[in-house]
Short mmCIF file of all heavy atoms in Angstrom, two decimals:
data_model
loop_
_atom_site.label_atom_id
_atom_site.label_comp_id
_atom_site.label_asym_id
_atom_site.label_seq_id
_atom_site.Cartn_x
_atom_site.Cartn_y
_atom_site.Cartn_z
N LEU A 1 55.53 -77.76 -77.47
CA LEU A 1 56.70 -78.23 -78.24
C LEU A 1 56.14 -79.21 -79.32
O LEU A 1 55.81 -80.36 -79.00
CB LEU A 1 57.77 -78.98 -77.42
CG LEU A 1 59.03 -79.26 -78.11
CD1 LEU A 1 59.70 -78.04 -78.75
CD2 LEU A 1 60.02 -79.89 -76.99
N PRO A 2 56.01 -78.73 -80.61
CA PRO A 2 55.43 -79.66 -81.63
C PRO A 2 56.32 -80.76 -81.95
O PRO A 2 57.59 -80.77 -81.87
CB PRO A 2 55.36 -78.77 -82.79
CG PRO A 2 55.26 -77.36 -82.22
CD PRO A 2 56.17 -77.38 -81.05
N ILE A 3 55.67 -82.01 -82.20
CA ILE A 3 56.26 -83.25 -82.52
C ILE A 3 56.16 -83.59 -83.97
O ILE A 3 55.06 -83.42 -84.59
CB ILE A 3 55.75 -84.47 -81.74
CG1 ILE A 3 55.79 -84.04 -80.13
CG2 ILE A 3 56.39 -85.79 -81.96
CD1 ILE A 3 54.92 -84.98 -79.41
N PHE A 4 57.25 -83.88 -84.75
CA PHE A 4 57.15 -84.12 -86.15
C PHE A 4 57.71 -85.48 -86.54
O PHE A 4 58.70 -86.03 -85.81
CB PHE A 4 57.91 -83.08 -86.92
CG PHE A 4 57.42 -81.67 -86.70
CD1 PHE A 4 58.01 -80.89 -85.68
CD2 PHE A 4 56.46 -81.16 -87.54
CE1 PHE A 4 57.49 -79.51 -85.47
CE2 PHE A 4 55.95 -79.88 -87.37
CZ PHE A 4 56.45 -79.10 -86.53
N LEU A 5 57.29 -85.95 -87.69
CA LEU A 5 57.96 -87.05 -88.40
C LEU A 5 58.49 -86.40 -89.62
O LEU A 5 57.72 -85.89 -90.43
CB LEU A 5 56.91 -88.17 -88.75
CG LEU A 5 57.65 -89.39 -89.66
CD1 LEU A 5 58.56 -90.26 -88.77
CD2 LEU A 5 56.56 -90.37 -90.15
N ALA A 6 59.88 -86.46 -89.70
CA ALA A 6 60.53 -85.86 -90.86
C ALA A 6 61.88 -86.51 -91.10
O ALA A 6 62.38 -87.30 -90.37
CB ALA A 6 60.78 -84.24 -90.44
N ARG A 7 62.39 -86.21 -92.32
CA ARG A 7 63.73 -86.58 -92.62
C ARG A 7 64.84 -85.72 -92.04
O ARG A 7 65.97 -86.20 -91.87
CB ARG A 7 63.97 -86.63 -94.13
CG ARG A 7 62.99 -87.63 -94.78
CD ARG A 7 63.07 -87.53 -96.43
NE ARG A 7 62.18 -88.35 -97.09
CZ ARG A 7 60.84 -87.97 -97.39
NH1 ARG A 7 60.48 -86.73 -97.04
NH2 ARG A 7 60.08 -88.79 -97.92
N ASP A 8 64.51 -84.49 -91.60
CA ASP A 8 65.64 -83.67 -91.28
C ASP A 8 64.90 -82.47 -90.38
O ASP A 8 63.75 -82.21 -90.51
CB ASP A 8 66.35 -82.99 -92.38
CG ASP A 8 67.48 -82.22 -91.93
OD1 ASP A 8 68.64 -82.72 -91.81
OD2 ASP A 8 67.40 -80.95 -91.69
N HIS A 9 65.63 -82.06 -89.36
CA HIS A 9 65.16 -81.05 -88.48
C HIS A 9 64.69 -79.86 -89.36
O HIS A 9 63.76 -79.14 -88.90
CB HIS A 9 66.24 -80.70 -87.47
CG HIS A 9 65.78 -79.69 -86.41
ND1 HIS A 9 66.02 -78.39 -86.32
CD2 HIS A 9 65.03 -80.00 -85.17
CE1 HIS A 9 65.49 -77.89 -85.31
NE2 HIS A 9 64.90 -78.91 -84.48
N ASP A 10 65.47 -79.42 -90.42
CA ASP A 10 65.13 -78.28 -91.18
C ASP A 10 63.84 -78.43 -91.86
O ASP A 10 63.32 -77.42 -92.37
CB ASP A 10 66.32 -78.06 -92.12
CG ASP A 10 67.65 -77.52 -91.29
OD1 ASP A 10 67.46 -77.08 -90.11
OD2 ASP A 10 68.71 -77.63 -91.91
N ASP A 11 63.36 -79.65 -91.94
CA ASP A 11 62.11 -79.84 -92.73
C ASP A 11 60.98 -79.41 -91.83
O ASP A 11 59.82 -79.23 -92.44
CB ASP A 11 61.93 -81.19 -93.10
CG ASP A 11 62.93 -81.78 -94.20
OD1 ASP A 11 63.36 -80.80 -94.97
OD2 ASP A 11 63.15 -82.90 -94.47
N CYS A 12 61.16 -79.21 -90.49
CA CYS A 12 59.92 -78.96 -89.72
C CYS A 12 59.62 -77.54 -89.60
O CYS A 12 59.51 -76.90 -88.40
CB CYS A 12 60.31 -79.53 -88.20
SG CYS A 12 60.79 -81.21 -88.29
N VAL A 13 59.60 -76.85 -90.78
CA VAL A 13 59.30 -75.47 -90.81
C VAL A 13 58.12 -75.37 -91.74
O VAL A 13 57.99 -75.85 -92.87
CB VAL A 13 60.47 -74.70 -91.48
CG1 VAL A 13 60.10 -73.25 -91.73
CG2 VAL A 13 61.74 -74.98 -90.67
N PRO A 14 57.02 -74.61 -91.26
CA PRO A 14 55.80 -74.62 -91.95
C PRO A 14 55.92 -73.60 -93.22
O PRO A 14 56.67 -72.61 -93.20
CB PRO A 14 54.85 -73.93 -90.96
CG PRO A 14 55.69 -73.15 -89.94
CD PRO A 14 57.01 -73.91 -89.96
N GLY A 15 55.08 -74.02 -94.20
CA GLY A 15 55.05 -73.01 -95.42
C GLY A 15 53.89 -72.13 -95.06
O GLY A 15 53.31 -71.94 -94.01
N PRO A 16 53.60 -71.30 -96.14
CA PRO A 16 52.55 -70.21 -96.02
C PRO A 16 51.16 -70.90 -95.81
O PRO A 16 50.91 -72.07 -96.18
CB PRO A 16 52.54 -69.46 -97.41
CG PRO A 16 53.19 -70.46 -98.22
CD PRO A 16 54.20 -71.23 -97.53
N VAL A 17 50.23 -70.16 -95.28
CA VAL A 17 48.79 -70.66 -95.01
C VAL A 17 48.27 -70.85 -96.38
O VAL A 17 48.23 -70.10 -97.22
CB VAL A 17 48.06 -69.60 -94.12
CG1 VAL A 17 46.64 -70.13 -94.08
CG2 VAL A 17 48.57 -69.32 -92.86
N SER A 18 47.76 -72.14 -96.50
CA SER A 18 47.23 -72.62 -97.84
C SER A 18 45.78 -72.74 -97.82
O SER A 18 45.07 -73.02 -98.71
CB SER A 18 47.90 -73.96 -98.21
OG SER A 18 47.60 -74.92 -97.20
N GLY A 19 45.19 -72.39 -96.65
CA GLY A 19 43.65 -72.57 -96.54
C GLY A 19 43.22 -74.12 -96.33
O GLY A 19 44.08 -75.03 -96.00
N GLU A 20 42.02 -74.42 -96.50
CA GLU A 20 41.43 -75.62 -96.14
C GLU A 20 41.91 -76.67 -97.36
O GLU A 20 42.36 -76.26 -98.44
CB GLU A 20 39.90 -75.67 -96.12
CG GLU A 20 39.35 -74.76 -94.96
CD GLU A 20 39.73 -75.39 -93.59
OE1 GLU A 20 39.89 -76.59 -93.59
OE2 GLU A 20 40.01 -74.66 -92.74
N PHE A 21 41.66 -77.95 -97.04
CA PHE A 21 41.87 -78.95 -98.14
C PHE A 21 41.03 -78.58 -99.34
O PHE A 21 39.84 -78.01 -99.13
CB PHE A 21 41.52 -80.33 -97.59
CG PHE A 21 42.65 -80.86 -96.84
CD1 PHE A 21 42.45 -81.43 -95.62
CD2 PHE A 21 43.99 -80.97 -97.18
CE1 PHE A 21 43.47 -82.02 -94.79
CE2 PHE A 21 44.93 -81.55 -96.50
CZ PHE A 21 44.64 -81.99 -95.22
N SER A 22 41.30 -79.03 -100.60
CA SER A 22 40.60 -78.70 -101.70
C SER A 22 39.19 -79.22 -101.75
O SER A 22 38.32 -78.70 -102.34
CB SER A 22 41.36 -79.25 -102.95
OG SER A 22 41.54 -80.54 -102.91
N THR A 23 39.00 -80.36 -101.05
CA THR A 23 37.66 -81.00 -100.87
C THR A 23 37.50 -81.22 -99.45
O THR A 23 38.35 -81.61 -98.75
CB THR A 23 37.39 -82.20 -101.68
OG1 THR A 23 38.40 -83.20 -101.30
CG2 THR A 23 37.62 -81.86 -103.24
N SER A 24 36.27 -80.99 -98.96
CA SER A 24 35.96 -81.30 -97.53
C SER A 24 35.37 -82.56 -97.35
O SER A 24 34.43 -82.96 -97.90
CB SER A 24 34.88 -80.22 -97.10
OG SER A 24 35.39 -79.00 -97.24
N PRO A 25 36.14 -83.58 -96.75
CA PRO A 25 35.63 -85.02 -96.42
C PRO A 25 34.56 -84.94 -95.48
O PRO A 25 34.25 -84.03 -94.65
CB PRO A 25 36.87 -85.51 -95.83
CG PRO A 25 37.55 -84.48 -95.14
CD PRO A 25 37.42 -83.10 -95.95
N VAL A 26 33.73 -85.98 -95.51
CA VAL A 26 32.80 -86.24 -94.78
C VAL A 26 33.26 -86.80 -93.44
O VAL A 26 34.05 -87.87 -93.43
CB VAL A 26 31.63 -87.21 -95.24
CG1 VAL A 26 30.56 -87.53 -94.18
CG2 VAL A 26 31.08 -86.65 -96.53
N VAL A 27 33.00 -86.20 -92.24
CA VAL A 27 33.70 -86.72 -90.87
C VAL A 27 32.98 -87.91 -90.53
O VAL A 27 31.80 -88.05 -90.55
CB VAL A 27 33.55 -85.66 -89.88
CG1 VAL A 27 33.98 -86.11 -88.55
CG2 VAL A 27 34.24 -84.46 -90.37
N ARG A 28 33.80 -89.03 -90.34
CA ARG A 28 33.30 -90.28 -89.72
C ARG A 28 34.01 -90.65 -88.60
O ARG A 28 35.01 -90.10 -88.05
CB ARG A 28 33.48 -91.40 -91.02
CG ARG A 28 32.91 -91.04 -92.22
CD ARG A 28 33.46 -92.05 -93.37
NE ARG A 28 34.84 -91.62 -93.67
CZ ARG A 28 35.46 -92.19 -94.68
NH1 ARG A 28 34.94 -93.06 -95.42
NH2 ARG A 28 36.71 -91.80 -94.88
N GLU A 29 33.38 -91.66 -87.82
CA GLU A 29 33.90 -92.11 -86.62
C GLU A 29 35.19 -92.91 -86.93
O GLU A 29 35.36 -93.63 -87.88
CB GLU A 29 33.00 -93.04 -85.92
CG GLU A 29 33.48 -93.37 -84.61
CD GLU A 29 32.35 -94.36 -83.89
OE1 GLU A 29 31.39 -94.67 -84.55
OE2 GLU A 29 32.54 -94.63 -82.73
N ALA A 30 36.26 -92.69 -86.09
CA ALA A 30 37.56 -93.25 -86.31
C ALA A 30 37.43 -94.79 -86.16
O ALA A 30 36.64 -95.33 -85.41
CB ALA A 30 38.52 -92.68 -85.33
N PRO A 31 38.18 -95.54 -86.93
CA PRO A 31 38.20 -96.97 -86.89
C PRO A 31 38.55 -97.37 -85.46
O PRO A 31 39.34 -96.90 -84.78
CB PRO A 31 39.25 -97.42 -87.92
CG PRO A 31 39.51 -96.24 -88.74
CD PRO A 31 39.18 -94.93 -88.02
N ARG A 32 37.96 -98.52 -85.03
CA ARG A 32 38.24 -99.05 -83.70
C ARG A 32 39.31 -100.10 -83.85
O ARG A 32 39.65 -100.65 -84.84
CB ARG A 32 36.90 -99.72 -83.20
CG ARG A 32 35.74 -98.74 -82.88
CD ARG A 32 36.17 -97.59 -82.03
NE ARG A 32 35.14 -96.55 -81.71
CZ ARG A 32 35.38 -95.38 -81.13
NH1 ARG A 32 36.60 -95.14 -80.64
NH2 ARG A 32 34.36 -94.60 -80.91
N GLU A 33 39.78 -100.45 -82.64
CA GLU A 33 40.75 -101.52 -82.60
C GLU A 33 40.25 -102.81 -83.21
O GLU A 33 39.13 -103.11 -83.01
CB GLU A 33 41.23 -101.73 -81.11
CG GLU A 33 42.59 -102.39 -81.01
CD GLU A 33 43.00 -102.50 -79.53
OE1 GLU A 33 42.21 -102.08 -78.70
OE2 GLU A 33 43.98 -103.07 -79.25
N PRO A 34 41.08 -103.55 -83.93
CA PRO A 34 40.61 -104.77 -84.60
C PRO A 34 40.09 -105.60 -83.55
O PRO A 34 40.36 -105.78 -82.33
CB PRO A 34 41.92 -105.28 -85.12
CG PRO A 34 42.78 -104.09 -85.43
CD PRO A 34 42.48 -103.08 -84.11
N ALA A 35 39.13 -106.51 -84.07
CA ALA A 35 38.37 -107.52 -83.15
C ALA A 35 39.46 -108.34 -82.55
O ALA A 35 40.47 -108.88 -83.16
CB ALA A 35 37.37 -108.32 -83.93
N GLY A 36 39.28 -108.76 -81.33
CA GLY A 36 40.14 -109.58 -80.60
C GLY A 36 40.29 -111.12 -81.25
O GLY A 36 39.45 -111.38 -82.04
N GLY A 37 41.35 -111.74 -80.91
CA GLY A 37 41.62 -113.05 -81.37
C GLY A 37 42.59 -113.66 -80.57
O GLY A 37 42.98 -113.26 -79.48
N THR A 38 43.26 -114.77 -81.03
CA THR A 38 44.27 -115.51 -80.43
C THR A 38 45.56 -115.54 -81.15
O THR A 38 45.51 -115.77 -82.39
CB THR A 38 43.86 -116.91 -80.07
OG1 THR A 38 42.68 -116.86 -79.31
CG2 THR A 38 44.91 -117.62 -79.30
N LEU A 39 46.66 -115.13 -80.67
CA LEU A 39 47.92 -115.23 -81.29
C LEU A 39 48.64 -116.50 -80.75
O LEU A 39 48.68 -116.69 -79.44
CB LEU A 39 48.77 -114.14 -80.79
CG LEU A 39 48.26 -112.57 -81.34
CD1 LEU A 39 49.24 -111.60 -80.74
CD2 LEU A 39 48.25 -112.57 -82.73
N ARG A 40 49.11 -117.37 -81.50
CA ARG A 40 49.85 -118.49 -81.23
C ARG A 40 51.24 -118.27 -81.62
O ARG A 40 51.59 -118.17 -82.73
CB ARG A 40 49.34 -119.78 -82.01
CG ARG A 40 47.81 -120.10 -81.74
CD ARG A 40 47.52 -121.60 -81.99
NE ARG A 40 48.17 -122.48 -81.09
CZ ARG A 40 49.01 -123.21 -81.55
NH1 ARG A 40 49.44 -123.43 -82.83
NH2 ARG A 40 49.58 -124.22 -80.66
N VAL A 41 51.94 -118.23 -80.61
CA VAL A 41 53.51 -117.73 -80.64
C VAL A 41 54.41 -118.86 -80.25
O VAL A 41 54.28 -119.46 -79.09
CB VAL A 41 53.78 -116.43 -79.77
CG1 VAL A 41 55.23 -116.04 -80.06
CG2 VAL A 41 52.85 -115.37 -80.24
N LEU A 42 55.37 -119.23 -81.03
CA LEU A 42 56.49 -120.03 -80.64
C LEU A 42 57.77 -119.23 -80.46
O LEU A 42 58.16 -118.60 -81.43
CB LEU A 42 56.79 -121.06 -81.73
CG LEU A 42 57.90 -122.08 -81.59
CD1 LEU A 42 57.64 -122.96 -80.43
CD2 LEU A 42 58.10 -123.00 -82.88
N LEU A 43 58.23 -119.22 -79.29
CA LEU A 43 59.32 -118.39 -78.89
C LEU A 43 60.57 -119.23 -78.49
O LEU A 43 60.58 -120.08 -77.65
CB LEU A 43 59.02 -117.48 -77.71
CG LEU A 43 59.92 -116.32 -77.22
CD1 LEU A 43 59.07 -115.21 -76.65
CD2 LEU A 43 60.98 -116.78 -76.29
N PHE A 44 61.72 -118.92 -79.20
CA PHE A 44 62.86 -119.63 -79.02
C PHE A 44 63.83 -118.70 -78.07
O PHE A 44 64.18 -117.67 -78.53
CB PHE A 44 63.65 -119.99 -80.22
CG PHE A 44 62.92 -121.03 -81.16
CD1 PHE A 44 62.18 -120.69 -82.28
CD2 PHE A 44 62.87 -122.41 -80.68
CE1 PHE A 44 61.54 -121.56 -83.00
CE2 PHE A 44 62.21 -123.36 -81.46
CZ PHE A 44 61.57 -122.89 -82.64
N GLY A 45 64.31 -119.33 -76.94
CA GLY A 45 65.23 -118.51 -76.16
C GLY A 45 64.57 -117.92 -74.95
O GLY A 45 63.41 -117.91 -74.87
N TRP A 46 65.48 -117.68 -74.01
CA TRP A 46 64.96 -116.97 -72.72
C TRP A 46 65.93 -115.91 -72.40
O TRP A 46 67.20 -116.10 -72.42
CB TRP A 46 64.95 -118.00 -71.67
CG TRP A 46 64.50 -117.43 -70.38
CD1 TRP A 46 65.01 -117.00 -69.34
CD2 TRP A 46 62.93 -117.30 -70.10
NE1 TRP A 46 64.16 -116.41 -68.39
CE2 TRP A 46 62.86 -116.66 -68.80
CE3 TRP A 46 61.74 -117.54 -70.83
CZ2 TRP A 46 61.59 -116.37 -68.31
CZ3 TRP A 46 60.59 -117.21 -70.22
CH2 TRP A 46 60.52 -116.73 -68.97
#
């Protein structure tokens, strides 16, 4: 069951096969989670 982000259910319909992207990107390693740090949070209410 494919999952989509769309404005409407009817938009989740594929068009014709268009082939590869016009230019082939150089495959790189995916970015890692940002370096750790400290969040200082002031929270009002319980």
Side-chain angles (χ1 to χ4, degrees):
L1 190 56
I3 307 167
F4 297 93
L5 179 70
R7 296 179 183 85
D8 189 87
H9 188 264
D10 292 338
D11 290 340
C12 305
V13 177
V17 177
S18 59
E20 299 293 331
F21 282 128
S22 56
T23 60
S24 298
V26 178
V27 178
R28 299 169 289 189
E29 186 178 7
R32 298 302 180 188
E33 195 174 2
T38 299
L39 299 176
R40 299 198 68 243
V41 181
L42 178 61
L43 191 152
F44 292 106
W46 186 263

